[in-house]
Amino acid sequence: MSATANPRGRADIDLRQAAKDHLWLHFTRMSAYAAAPVPIIARGEGCYLEDLDGRRYLDALAGLFAVQIGYSHGEEIGAAAAEQMRELPFYTNWSYAHPRSIELAQRLAELAPGDLNRVFFTSGGSESVESAWKLARQFHAARGERRWKAIGRDLAYHGTTMGALSINGVAPLRQPFEPLVPQVAHVRNTNRFRRPADETEEQFTAMLLDDLEQRILSEGPETVALVILEPVQNSGGAFTPPAGYFQGVRALCDEHGILLCADEVITGFGRIGAWFASDRYDIRPDLVTCAKGMSSAYASIGAVIASDRVAAPFLEGSETFLHGLTFGGHPVAAAIALKNLAIMERERIVESVAASEDRFRATLAQLLELPIVGDLRGVGYFYALELVKDRETNATFSDEESERLLRGFLSERLYDAGIICRADDRGDPVIQVSPPLIAEQRQFDEIVGILGEVLTEASRLVTR
Ligand SMILES: Cc1ncc(COP(=O)(O)O)c(C=O)c1O
């Protein structure tokens, strides 16, 4: 065993071998590691990660859109966790409250938009989406209506539990697990990249709203419980909403008595320069689902935040939301989330994203000079670069070309070049860039420097 095989852990475990023998990575082609080493991230500091061999990487994905405050707050957050461990290491929110879940619920109600005041804790994003759909169904039932359907958008990702998976608009993710939870319809997302050049923003919005309205009508409005949308859709590459879109969605939901859920698992907690994207886009949702950034991923905790109107039927008589999770609102996770939110407030992290977003975007925009980069989309610290085969026509890659480009070249080459970001082909191929919210100009430049080099190589491989 080499000296660095397991520097701080059990001396008898060779991490490299044990990773191959025992660990099952999520959404990972394990066969890729039959011959190659499993990438093992061993340390973090600021916006940077270090692997077992001491190689440094700029984490331009914030550990899956989650580590808002970066990796250097372990001492402070650890102290809050240790204090909670001493006081009350665990109690559940099934029938009982405890101080930290109460404090966190109050803090979230303060930060959340409008009259979103009632917090149901989960352990992560999928559970939040799952819980929101169940809550919507039971909300309608409590008011004497049987509504069960959900409407999501093409290509959107909302998680992996069966309900959340059913809401996904990514067909290849759903197919192996069919039959799924009935019934979900998918409508157009807000991808504007290949829309006709002469289409105005107003026309684009009208087309999207017409599509949603037609779908609601064809499903039967009285059967639809929930419309669930990300304020900025990640999968497909940071699709921002056109002006008037969410106001139109809200109006359609109101007209047909449907609950509107903003899935803010990524966009919540500062990623787009506001505590919640629902505020930035004036979405006025009935429900918000969130997770990731609530604790900067220092602990696994998520939530559904419901409006007073949605909570009301459950605060009367014998009505009970028949749903629960042992770990929902875990006191240690809640203490960690509270500390994370306090750090974000103290360090003015959300304000800093709002102040830096234009510079970040302008820096990334330099990459549009490369022939392989067709589009830069996003907002705040949440961007995607769409890769194209031909800049003149914006022609995209075939499935095989995309596979060769992303899996055969970019994913590995980017990692070797010292950056973690995501080459994603759930839609047309994109590079997703979403660093910790403490990233500054130095990191913006580093991202563009490395991406510039690697994408130049990629251009030579694939463009004409
Ligand atoms: C919008 C959205 N919803 C839900 C989820 C699921 O969250 P989790 O992976 O914490 O279950 C994700 C995960 O990336 C997400 O991006």
Side-chain angles (χ1 to χ4, degrees), residues 217-237:
L217 294 175
S218 68
E219 290 296 326
E222 69 290 350
T223 65
V224 181
L226 183 71
V227 167
I228 176 164
L229 313 170
E230 291 162 272
V232 179
Q233 182 175 315
N234 178 42
S235 180

Side-chain angles (χ1 to χ4, degrees), residues 65 124-127 129 157-160 230 234 263 265-266 291-292:
F65 315 92
S126 299
E127 282 181 3
V129 171
Y157 179 83
H158 293 279
T160 48
E230 291 162 272
N234 178 42
D263 185 354
V265 167
I266 288 181
K292 300 187 188 261

Side-chain angles (χ1 to χ4, degrees), residues 319-360:
E319 198 63 49
T320 305
F321 183 30
L322 290 171
H323 183 58
L325 304 150
T326 301
F327 291 159
H330 191 295
V332 177
I336 289 171
L338 279 164
K339 181 55 80 178
N340 169 59
L341 297 177
I343 292 170
M344 288 183 69
E345 203 175 20
R346 182 182 76 209
E347 318 233 324
R348 301 185 61 76
I349 283 177
V350 181
E351 292 83 348
S352 142
V353 171
S356 307
E357 71 172 337
D358 290 346
R359 273 189 298 116
F360 189 20

Side-chain angles (χ1 to χ4, degrees), residues 234-250:
N234 178 42
S235 180
F239 299 142
T240 52
Y245 173 74
F246 274 111
Q247 290 62 45
V249 172
R250 177 72 269 176

